[in-house]
Amino acid sequence: MPSHLRRIALPAAATALVALTATACGDGADAATGGGKTPVRIAYQSIPNADLVVKNHRLLEKALPDADVKWVKFDSGADVNTAVIAGSVDFALAGSSPITKGLSEPLNIPYKVLWIHDLIGENEALVAKKGIGSVKALKGKKIATPFGSTSHYSLLAALESAGLKPSDVRLVDLQPQDAFSAWQRGDIDAAYVWTPSLTELKKDGKVLVTSREIAEQGKPTADLGVVTEDFAAKHPKIVDAWLTAEDQAVKLAKSDPDKAATAIGAELNLSPADAKKQLAQLVLLTAEQQRGADYLGKPGAPGKLAGSLHDAAGFLKAQKAIDAVPARSAFEKDLAVKELSRVAD
């Protein structure tokens, strides 16, 4: 996917959000029953993208005064899927691999891909102990990564590119923080994880390959936003407000990265300087850009994201994480291009 981005100033987006605020909960479809507030439950993760700007600046709370917005933190896409299945969240952020799993058998989670929070770049990488100078040199070594994650997908792509099979190394299923603990104990030789654990690993390790480089080899990964089909059908104005808020935050990150980094740093307990560095490792896209053919696309013309999800399904099937690979057309139907078209202009 191309990484060229267009900078758009904040005021226009802010004006659009204010205009939307006046109508966001004004119709019967979005009004809570019994005079109470409509609950809006959002699953988020500690990823330094514009979603944290939305949270920190309370953009949704300001746009939806008649809603009860709750943000719930999760550590992995697998946990997010579990929460959606349990009916605990309405909107959620997860990596493209967990989302693909959710859209495939046996889970078949009834949600739609509404937004690309970021294209994963240097914020996910394969780090090895010093003295290991290449991916090929990992043969026979122990590597940690969260199974079924975007990092796992990229790791297998890196091994394949280096002429290695998964059986040529010893793979260990560990979440990023657990991988860092194993690294400190000397239990593993390498790890493919994301920030902030990646930042700690890099202090005394060597980066062998990043997800940006893997994407350039034709295996892109992303952090995606989903909304449950039931919520989207019942509350279209809230969906519009959510999309507009995310778009506003992305435009802020482009026009004033220092301000965005301050918000992200506050959420991640990082200095603004460190948050800005991590933010720069991602590729962010406006709503208008996401309507392009390389991403979600438009009504009647779904984008290439469906193909990326289809490729990820092949990876998951090989890992025996899903029962079958859905047709690309199935993933095209799962892209919320109609919803996105309502706010992108």
Side-chain angles (χ1 to χ4, degrees), residues 114-142:
L114 189 64
W115 188 251
I116 300 173
H117 283 291
D118 58 77
L119 303 180
I120 297 172
E122 289 87 2
N123 67 307
E124 286 192 20
L126 174 60
V127 182
K129 294 286 188 178
K130 289 182 178 178
I132 300 175
S134 67
V135 177
K136 194 168 186 176
L138 287 170
K139 186 172 183 178
K141 304 294 185 182
K142 186 180 291 186

PDB file of all heavy atoms in Angstrom, residues 114-142:
ATOM      1  N   LEU A 114     -14.556  -0.699   9.581  1.00  0.00           N
ATOM      2  CA  LEU A 114     -15.038   0.670   9.420  1.00  0.00           C
ATOM      3  C   LEU A 114     -13.920   1.663   9.139  1.00  0.00           C
ATOM      4  O   LEU A 114     -14.156   2.722   8.541  1.00  0.00           O
ATOM      5  CB  LEU A 114     -15.759   1.064  10.718  1.00  0.00           C
ATOM      6  CG  LEU A 114     -16.556   2.356  10.784  1.00  0.00           C
ATOM      7  CD1 LEU A 114     -17.733   2.289   9.828  1.00  0.00           C
ATOM      8  CD2 LEU A 114     -17.055   2.575  12.218  1.00  0.00           C
ATOM      9  N   TRP A 115     -12.693   1.325   9.550  1.00  0.00           N
ATOM     10  CA  TRP A 115     -11.622   2.321   9.558  1.00  0.00           C
ATOM     11  C   TRP A 115     -10.258   1.630   9.576  1.00  0.00           C
ATOM     12  O   TRP A 115     -10.127   0.539  10.141  1.00  0.00           O
ATOM     13  CB  TRP A 115     -11.766   3.183  10.812  1.00  0.00           C
ATOM     14  CG  TRP A 115     -10.878   4.387  10.919  1.00  0.00           C
ATOM     15  CD1 TRP A 115      -9.822   4.558  11.776  1.00  0.00           C
ATOM     16  CD2 TRP A 115     -10.971   5.607  10.178  1.00  0.00           C
ATOM     17  NE1 TRP A 115      -9.261   5.797  11.611  1.00  0.00           N
ATOM     18  CE2 TRP A 115      -9.943   6.465  10.624  1.00  0.00           C
ATOM     19  CE3 TRP A 115     -11.820   6.046   9.161  1.00  0.00           C
ATOM     20  CZ2 TRP A 115      -9.753   7.739  10.099  1.00  0.00           C
ATOM     21  CZ3 TRP A 115     -11.634   7.318   8.634  1.00  0.00           C
ATOM     22  CH2 TRP A 115     -10.616   8.154   9.107  1.00  0.00           C
ATOM     23  N   ILE A 116      -9.281   2.246   8.950  1.00  0.00           N
ATOM     24  CA  ILE A 116      -7.896   1.811   9.069  1.00  0.00           C
ATOM     25  C   ILE A 116      -7.214   2.771  10.042  1.00  0.00           C
ATOM     26  O   ILE A 116      -6.950   3.926   9.700  1.00  0.00           O
ATOM     27  CB  ILE A 116      -7.179   1.826   7.705  1.00  0.00           C
ATOM     28  CG1 ILE A 116      -7.875   0.896   6.715  1.00  0.00           C
ATOM     29  CG2 ILE A 116      -5.717   1.421   7.878  1.00  0.00           C
ATOM     30  CD1 ILE A 116      -7.327   0.983   5.300  1.00  0.00           C
ATOM     31  N   HIS A 117      -6.961   2.310  11.259  1.00  0.00           N
ATOM     32  CA  HIS A 117      -6.332   3.186  12.253  1.00  0.00           C
ATOM     33  C   HIS A 117      -4.900   3.522  11.864  1.00  0.00           C
ATOM     34  O   HIS A 117      -4.429   4.637  12.118  1.00  0.00           O
ATOM     35  CB  HIS A 117      -6.350   2.525  13.637  1.00  0.00           C
ATOM     36  CG  HIS A 117      -7.682   2.587  14.310  1.00  0.00           C
ATOM     37  ND1 HIS A 117      -8.233   3.753  14.782  1.00  0.00           N
ATOM     38  CD2 HIS A 117      -8.594   1.608  14.591  1.00  0.00           C
ATOM     39  CE1 HIS A 117      -9.407   3.512  15.335  1.00  0.00           C
ATOM     40  NE2 HIS A 117      -9.653   2.215  15.223  1.00  0.00           N
ATOM     41  N   ASP A 118      -4.209   2.568  11.284  1.00  0.00           N
ATOM     42  CA  ASP A 118      -2.848   2.824  10.831  1.00  0.00           C
ATOM     43  C   ASP A 118      -2.382   1.660   9.968  1.00  0.00           C
ATOM     44  O   ASP A 118      -2.856   0.538  10.108  1.00  0.00           O
ATOM     45  CB  ASP A 118      -1.874   3.018  12.001  1.00  0.00           C
ATOM     46  CG  ASP A 118      -1.833   1.829  12.942  1.00  0.00           C
ATOM     47  OD1 ASP A 118      -1.198   0.809  12.581  1.00  0.00           O
ATOM     48  OD2 ASP A 118      -2.432   1.891  14.033  1.00  0.00           O
ATOM     49  N   LEU A 119      -1.468   1.974   9.077  1.00  0.00           N
ATOM     50  CA  LEU A 119      -0.701   0.942   8.391  1.00  0.00           C
ATOM     51  C   LEU A 119       0.537   0.727   9.223  1.00  0.00           C
ATOM     52  O   LEU A 119       1.256   1.689   9.559  1.00  0.00           O
ATOM     53  CB  LEU A 119      -0.333   1.391   6.978  1.00  0.00           C
ATOM     54  CG  LEU A 119      -1.503   1.781   6.059  1.00  0.00           C
ATOM     55  CD1 LEU A 119      -0.976   2.202   4.703  1.00  0.00           C
ATOM     56  CD2 LEU A 119      -2.490   0.638   5.927  1.00  0.00           C
ATOM     57  N   ILE A 120       0.790  -0.508   9.612  1.00  0.00           N
ATOM     58  CA  ILE A 120       1.872  -0.801  10.546  1.00  0.00           C
ATOM     59  C   ILE A 120       3.222  -0.619   9.862  1.00  0.00           C
ATOM     60  O   ILE A 120       3.438  -1.111   8.756  1.00  0.00           O
ATOM     61  CB  ILE A 120       1.713  -2.218  11.115  1.00  0.00           C
ATOM     62  CG1 ILE A 120       0.398  -2.297  11.920  1.00  0.00           C
ATOM     63  CG2 ILE A 120       2.900  -2.611  11.993  1.00  0.00           C
ATOM     64  CD1 ILE A 120       0.039  -3.699  12.376  1.00  0.00           C
ATOM     65  N   GLY A 121       4.110   0.093  10.533  1.00  0.00           N
ATOM     66  CA  GLY A 121       5.437   0.373   9.995  1.00  0.00           C
ATOM     67  C   GLY A 121       6.528  -0.111  10.920  1.00  0.00           C
ATOM     68  O   GLY A 121       6.600  -1.281  11.275  1.00  0.00           O
ATOM     69  N   GLU A 122       7.346   0.834  11.394  1.00  0.00           N
ATOM     70  CA  GLU A 122       8.459   0.471  12.278  1.00  0.00           C
ATOM     71  C   GLU A 122       8.021   0.181  13.708  1.00  0.00           C
ATOM     72  O   GLU A 122       8.848  -0.198  14.541  1.00  0.00           O
ATOM     73  CB  GLU A 122       9.511   1.583  12.296  1.00  0.00           C
ATOM     74  CG  GLU A 122      10.312   1.711  11.016  1.00  0.00           C
ATOM     75  CD  GLU A 122       9.629   2.609   9.995  1.00  0.00           C
ATOM     76  OE1 GLU A 122       8.553   3.147  10.319  1.00  0.00           O
ATOM     77  OE2 GLU A 122      10.164   2.771   8.884  1.00  0.00           O
ATOM     78  N   ASN A 123       6.736   0.353  13.995  1.00  0.00           N
ATOM     79  CA  ASN A 123       6.278   0.101  15.363  1.00  0.00           C
ATOM     80  C   ASN A 123       6.101  -1.387  15.655  1.00  0.00           C
ATOM     81  O   ASN A 123       5.829  -1.781  16.790  1.00  0.00           O
ATOM     82  CB  ASN A 123       4.969   0.836  15.639  1.00  0.00           C
ATOM     83  CG  ASN A 123       3.821   0.287  14.824  1.00  0.00           C
ATOM     84  OD1 ASN A 123       3.925   0.187  13.603  1.00  0.00           O
ATOM     85  ND2 ASN A 123       2.729  -0.059  15.477  1.00  0.00           N
ATOM     86  N   GLU A 124       6.248  -2.244  14.644  1.00  0.00           N
ATOM     87  CA  GLU A 124       6.331  -3.691  14.838  1.00  0.00           C
ATOM     88  C   GLU A 124       7.596  -4.161  14.134  1.00  0.00           C
ATOM     89  O   GLU A 124       7.850  -3.779  12.981  1.00  0.00           O
ATOM     90  CB  GLU A 124       5.106  -4.425  14.272  1.00  0.00           C
ATOM     91  CG  GLU A 124       3.860  -4.253  15.104  1.00  0.00           C
ATOM     92  CD  GLU A 124       2.737  -5.193  14.708  1.00  0.00           C
ATOM     93  OE1 GLU A 124       3.012  -6.232  14.069  1.00  0.00           O
ATOM     94  OE2 GLU A 124       1.577  -4.894  15.053  1.00  0.00           O
ATOM     95  N   ALA A 125       8.385  -4.960  14.824  1.00  0.00           N
ATOM     96  CA  ALA A 125       9.665  -5.376  14.239  1.00  0.00           C
ATOM     97  C   ALA A 125      10.179  -6.642  14.897  1.00  0.00           C
ATOM     98  O   ALA A 125       9.755  -7.027  15.993  1.00  0.00           O
ATOM     99  CB  ALA A 125      10.705  -4.256  14.382  1.00  0.00           C
ATOM    100  N   LEU A 126      11.107  -7.265  14.199  1.00  0.00           N
ATOM    101  CA  LEU A 126      11.806  -8.444  14.693  1.00  0.00           C
ATOM    102  C   LEU A 126      13.145  -7.998  15.275  1.00  0.00           C
ATOM    103  O   LEU A 126      13.979  -7.431  14.569  1.00  0.00           O
ATOM    104  CB  LEU A 126      12.033  -9.438  13.557  1.00  0.00           C
ATOM    105  CG  LEU A 126      12.870 -10.681  13.859  1.00  0.00           C
ATOM    106  CD1 LEU A 126      12.242 -11.524  14.967  1.00  0.00           C
ATOM    107  CD2 LEU A 126      13.047 -11.513  12.585  1.00  0.00           C
ATOM    108  N   VAL A 127      13.307  -8.230  16.573  1.00  0.00           N
ATOM    109  CA  VAL A 127      14.533  -7.833  17.273  1.00  0.00           C
ATOM    110  C   VAL A 127      15.231  -9.083  17.788  1.00  0.00           C
ATOM    111  O   VAL A 127      14.587  -9.972  18.360  1.00  0.00           O
ATOM    112  CB  VAL A 127      14.224  -6.886  18.452  1.00  0.00           C
ATOM    113  CG1 VAL A 127      15.510  -6.441  19.128  1.00  0.00           C
ATOM    114  CG2 VAL A 127      13.441  -5.673  17.965  1.00  0.00           C
ATOM    115  N   ALA A 128      16.544  -9.146  17.583  1.00  0.00           N
ATOM    116  CA  ALA A 128      17.327 -10.310  18.021  1.00  0.00           C
ATOM    117  C   ALA A 128      18.421  -9.868  18.979  1.00  0.00           C
ATOM    118  O   ALA A 128      18.811  -8.692  19.017  1.00  0.00           O
ATOM    119  CB  ALA A 128      17.948 -11.019  16.823  1.00  0.00           C
ATOM    120  N   LYS A 129      18.903 -10.825  19.752  1.00  0.00           N
ATOM    121  CA  LYS A 129      20.030 -10.556  20.635  1.00  0.00           C
ATOM    122  C   LYS A 129      21.243 -10.147  19.802  1.00  0.00           C
ATOM    123  O   LYS A 129      21.422 -10.600  18.663  1.00  0.00           O
ATOM    124  CB  LYS A 129      20.368 -11.807  21.455  1.00  0.00           C
ATOM    125  CG  LYS A 129      19.296 -12.220  22.449  1.00  0.00           C
ATOM    126  CD  LYS A 129      19.252 -11.292  23.648  1.00  0.00           C
ATOM    127  CE  LYS A 129      18.306 -11.833  24.726  1.00  0.00           C
ATOM    128  NZ  LYS A 129      18.276 -10.964  25.934  1.00  0.00           N
ATOM    129  N   LYS A 130      22.055  -9.294  20.366  1.00  0.00           N
ATOM    130  CA  LYS A 130      23.252  -8.860  19.659  1.00  0.00           C
ATOM    131  C   LYS A 130      24.139 -10.069  19.364  1.00  0.00           C
ATOM    132  O   LYS A 130      24.273 -10.969  20.185  1.00  0.00           O
ATOM    133  CB  LYS A 130      23.999  -7.821  20.480  1.00  0.00           C
ATOM    134  CG  LYS A 130      23.255  -6.484  20.535  1.00  0.00           C
ATOM    135  CD  LYS A 130      24.008  -5.428  21.312  1.00  0.00           C
ATOM    136  CE  LYS A 130      23.247  -4.110  21.283  1.00  0.00           C
ATOM    137  NZ  LYS A 130      23.923  -3.051  22.071  1.00  0.00           N
ATOM    138  N   GLY A 131      24.713 -10.064  18.175  1.00  0.00           N
ATOM    139  CA  GLY A 131      25.478 -11.217  17.716  1.00  0.00           C
ATOM    140  C   GLY A 131      24.728 -12.006  16.665  1.00  0.00           C
ATOM    141  O   GLY A 131      25.319 -12.823  15.952  1.00  0.00           O
ATOM    142  N   ILE A 132      23.389 -11.762  16.579  1.00  0.00           N
ATOM    143  CA  ILE A 132      22.571 -12.376  15.522  1.00  0.00           C
ATOM    144  C   ILE A 132      22.342 -11.292  14.481  1.00  0.00           C
ATOM    145  O   ILE A 132      21.601 -10.341  14.704  1.00  0.00           O
ATOM    146  CB  ILE A 132      21.238 -12.905  16.075  1.00  0.00           C
ATOM    147  CG1 ILE A 132      21.501 -13.964  17.153  1.00  0.00           C
ATOM    148  CG2 ILE A 132      20.382 -13.484  14.956  1.00  0.00           C
ATOM    149  CD1 ILE A 132      20.245 -14.461  17.848  1.00  0.00           C
ATOM    150  N   GLY A 133      22.988 -11.432  13.345  1.00  0.00           N
ATOM    151  CA  GLY A 133      23.011 -10.335  12.389  1.00  0.00           C
ATOM    152  C   GLY A 133      22.008 -10.380  11.260  1.00  0.00           C
ATOM    153  O   GLY A 133      21.930  -9.434  10.476  1.00  0.00           O
ATOM    154  N   SER A 134      21.228 -11.448  11.146  1.00  0.00           N
ATOM    155  CA  SER A 134      20.279 -11.551  10.039  1.00  0.00           C
ATOM    156  C   SER A 134      19.145 -12.499  10.409  1.00  0.00           C
ATOM    157  O   SER A 134      19.250 -13.276  11.372  1.00  0.00           O
ATOM    158  CB  SER A 134      20.978 -12.074   8.783  1.00  0.00           C
ATOM    159  OG  SER A 134      21.382 -13.420   8.969  1.00  0.00           O
ATOM    160  N   VAL A 135      18.063 -12.424   9.645  1.00  0.00           N
ATOM    161  CA  VAL A 135      16.943 -13.341   9.868  1.00  0.00           C
ATOM    162  C   VAL A 135      17.400 -14.774   9.626  1.00  0.00           C
ATOM    163  O   VAL A 135      17.036 -15.688  10.377  1.00  0.00           O
ATOM    164  CB  VAL A 135      15.763 -12.988   8.936  1.00  0.00           C
ATOM    165  CG1 VAL A 135      14.628 -13.999   9.119  1.00  0.00           C
ATOM    166  CG2 VAL A 135      15.267 -11.577   9.218  1.00  0.00           C
ATOM    167  N   LYS A 136      18.214 -14.977   8.610  1.00  0.00           N
ATOM    168  CA  LYS A 136      18.691 -16.323   8.299  1.00  0.00           C
ATOM    169  C   LYS A 136      19.480 -16.923   9.453  1.00  0.00           C
ATOM    170  O   LYS A 136      19.458 -18.146   9.681  1.00  0.00           O
ATOM    171  CB  LYS A 136      19.556 -16.282   7.040  1.00  0.00           C
ATOM    172  CG  LYS A 136      19.829 -17.646   6.441  1.00  0.00           C
ATOM    173  CD  LYS A 136      20.425 -17.526   5.045  1.00  0.00           C
ATOM    174  CE  LYS A 136      20.556 -18.893   4.403  1.00  0.00           C
ATOM    175  NZ  LYS A 136      21.049 -18.797   3.006  1.00  0.00           N
ATOM    176  N   ALA A 137      20.154 -16.061  10.233  1.00  0.00           N
ATOM    177  CA  ALA A 137      20.967 -16.536  11.354  1.00  0.00           C
ATOM    178  C   ALA A 137      20.107 -16.997  12.532  1.00  0.00           C
ATOM    179  O   ALA A 137      20.642 -17.499  13.531  1.00  0.00           O
ATOM    180  CB  ALA A 137      21.922 -15.434  11.808  1.00  0.00           C
ATOM    181  N   LEU A 138      18.786 -16.847  12.427  1.00  0.00           N
ATOM    182  CA  LEU A 138      17.892 -17.289  13.494  1.00  0.00           C
ATOM    183  C   LEU A 138      17.589 -18.788  13.428  1.00  0.00           C
ATOM    184  O   LEU A 138      16.874 -19.308  14.282  1.00  0.00           O
ATOM    185  CB  LEU A 138      16.575 -16.513  13.432  1.00  0.00           C
ATOM    186  CG  LEU A 138      16.634 -15.045  13.882  1.00  0.00           C
ATOM    187  CD1 LEU A 138      15.323 -14.347  13.539  1.00  0.00           C
ATOM    188  CD2 LEU A 138      16.915 -14.959  15.376  1.00  0.00           C
ATOM    189  N   LYS A 139      18.116 -19.475  12.442  1.00  0.00           N
ATOM    190  CA  LYS A 139      17.856 -20.915  12.333  1.00  0.00           C
ATOM    191  C   LYS A 139      18.250 -21.627  13.616  1.00  0.00           C
ATOM    192  O   LYS A 139      19.358 -21.455  14.134  1.00  0.00           O
ATOM    193  CB  LYS A 139      18.630 -21.509  11.152  1.00  0.00           C
ATOM    194  CG  LYS A 139      18.308 -22.974  10.890  1.00  0.00           C
ATOM    195  CD  LYS A 139      18.942 -23.470   9.604  1.00  0.00           C
ATOM    196  CE  LYS A 139      18.542 -24.912   9.324  1.00  0.00           C
ATOM    197  NZ  LYS A 139      19.095 -25.418   8.047  1.00  0.00           N
ATOM    198  N   GLY A 140      17.310 -22.392  14.172  1.00  0.00           N
ATOM    199  CA  GLY A 140      17.544 -23.114  15.414  1.00  0.00           C
ATOM    200  C   GLY A 140      17.339 -22.288  16.660  1.00  0.00           C
ATOM    201  O   GLY A 140      17.433 -22.815  17.777  1.00  0.00           O
ATOM    202  N   LYS A 141      17.003 -20.987  16.507  1.00  0.00           N
ATOM    203  CA  LYS A 141      16.847 -20.096  17.657  1.00  0.00           C
ATOM    204  C   LYS A 141      15.390 -20.038  18.118  1.00  0.00           C
ATOM    205  O   LYS A 141      14.456 -20.424  17.404  1.00  0.00           O
ATOM    206  CB  LYS A 141      17.320 -18.681  17.291  1.00  0.00           C
ATOM    207  CG  LYS A 141      18.752 -18.605  16.769  1.00  0.00           C
ATOM    208  CD  LYS A 141      19.763 -18.987  17.829  1.00  0.00           C
ATOM    209  CE  LYS A 141      21.181 -18.770  17.316  1.00  0.00           C
ATOM    210  NZ  LYS A 141      22.218 -19.181  18.312  1.00  0.00           N
ATOM    211  N   LYS A 142      15.212 -19.531  19.328  1.00  0.00           N
ATOM    212  CA  LYS A 142      13.874 -19.420  19.921  1.00  0.00           C
ATOM    213  C   LYS A 142      13.365 -17.987  19.725  1.00  0.00           C
ATOM    214  O   LYS A 142      14.004 -17.022  20.151  1.00  0.00           O
ATOM    215  CB  LYS A 142      13.921 -19.770  21.403  1.00  0.00           C
ATOM    216  CG  LYS A 142      12.537 -19.823  22.061  1.00  0.00           C
ATOM    217  CD  LYS A 142      12.637 -20.172  23.546  1.00  0.00           C
ATOM    218  CE  LYS A 142      13.088 -21.606  23.754  1.00  0.00           C
ATOM    219  NZ  LYS A 142      13.038 -21.976  25.199  1.00  0.00           N
TER     220      LYS A 142
END
